[in-house]
Amino acid sequence: MKLYGSLTSPYVRKARILMLEKKVQCEFVVADAWTADSPIPALNPLGKVPVLVRDDQSVLFDSPVIVEYLDALKTPAMLPASGDARWEMLRWQALADGMLDAVVTRLLESRRPAAQQSADNIRRQEEKITRSIEYTAQQASKGAWLMSDRFTLADLVMAVALEYTDFRYPHDWRGRHPRLGEWLAGISARPAFVETRPPGMEKK
C-alpha cells in the first residue's frame, strides 16, 4: 500500500499516526496536490490528500475513510465497529475535522490581501475553534483519555487538531484550559506524534 500526502497536512497526519500506532505496513509518498506534475488529481478527482492506494491498486479517499480502513487491518480497533461507542467516536472525528477545517479556512483568509480579507469570516472560524476547544476541555477533565480506558481514535484526532491549531493559529487557549494542555502534552509525547510532527511545528 501507498499513502500519498504532504508533511504539513493534519488530515494526512491522522493516517500516518494511526499506521505507526498500529504498526501497519504502508509506504508514505510525499506529494503536493498543487504542483503541475502532482499525481494526486489522477488518483482523487477532488485533488485532495490523503490518498491511499491499496495493494490491488484500488484507491481510497479521504481521511475518515482511510483511517477507518487502516484501523480495520489490525486489532485492537481504535474505532468500534458498532454500538453507541462507534457513534461517539465518529462524533469526535467530526469535531476534530471541523476544527481543522476552521483552522485552514482562517489561515487561507488571513493570507489574502488585507483589503480582500473578511474579518467576519475570520471571526466565525475563531469562534468555531474556541467552542471546539471548550467542548474537548470538558471531556478531557474526566480522565486520561477522551473515551474508554485507553488511547483511541478520539484522542488521536483531537490531539492532531489541537497541535495544528497551535501550528497555524497560535493563541493562549491553555490559559483557559490548563488541564487540556496537560492532556495534549501527554499525547504529543507519544512516538507516533513525535515522528510525524510537521516541519516548522517545533518552532511554534
Side-chain angles (χ1 to χ4, degrees):
M1 292 189 300
K2 292 183 178 181
L3 178 73
Y4 289 79
S6 70
L7 293 172
T8 56
S9 167
Y11 307 98
V12 174
R13 192 181 181 212
K14 289 192 303 179
R16 294 178 65 203
I17 289 172
L18 188 141
M19 290 190 305
L20 291 168
E21 288 280 350
K22 301 195 72 170
K23 296 179 173 57
V24 173
Q25 296 300 312
C26 181
E27 180 184 353
F28 177 51
V29 181
V30 177
D32 185 345
W34 297 96
T35 60
D37 60 347
S38 173
I40 301 303
L43 297 171
N44 178 359
L46 298 173
K48 296 169 60 179
V49 292
V51 176
L52 181 72
V53 179
R54 300 194 292 176
D55 290 336
D56 64 0
Q57 300 308 300
S58 62
V59 178
L60 294 178
F61 50 83
D62 55 2
S63 63
V65 176
I66 292 172
V67 163
E68 184 162 357
Y69 174 76
L70 293 172
D71 185 46
L73 296 179
K74 280 191 175 184
T75 58
M78 296 181 71
L79 173 63
S82 62
D84 288 345
R86 175 178 175 80
W87 303 121
E88 183 179 355
M89 194 77 73
L90 289 176
R91 183 180 67 196
W92 277 113
Q93 182 160 233
L95 180 65
D97 281 350
M99 186 172 167
L100 289 173
D101 291 346
V103 174
V104 170
T105 300
R106 180 193 177 279
L107 176 68
L108 294 178
E109 186 68 41
S110 68
R111 286 179 172 177
R112 288 159 57 89
Q116 298 177 20
Q117 290 181 23
S118 169
D120 285 343
N121 189 24
I122 291 175
R123 175 182 52 79
R124 283 196 296 272
Q125 305 313 317
E126 291 178 354
E127 289 173 350
K128 292 178 186 180
I129 296 164
T130 296
R131 290 194 300 267
S132 299
I133 291 174
E134 289 176 348
Y135 181 92
T136 306
Q138 292 172 0
Q139 302 302 311
S141 66
K142 298 176 181 178
W145 313 109
L146 294 178
M147 284 184 61
S148 187
D149 58 353
R150 62 183 177 88
F151 178 79
T152 66
L153 185 63
D155 303 292
L156 189 162
V157 295
M158 286 310 304
V160 168
L162 286 167
E163 284 203 339
Y164 193 72
T165 300
D166 284 339
F167 185 38
R168 297 303 194 189
Y169 172 37
H171 65 288
D172 184 27
W173 59 264
R174 288 172 178 79
R176 296 184 61 187
H177 307 291
R179 173 67 185 85
L180 181 60
E182 294 171 3
W183 173 87
L184 179 60
I187 302 294
S188 298
R190 297 175 73 89
F193 277 78
V194 174
E195 185 171 335
T196 59
R197 193 160 290 146
M201 182 180 281
E202 68 278 358
K203 299 177 183 178
K204 299 295 182 180

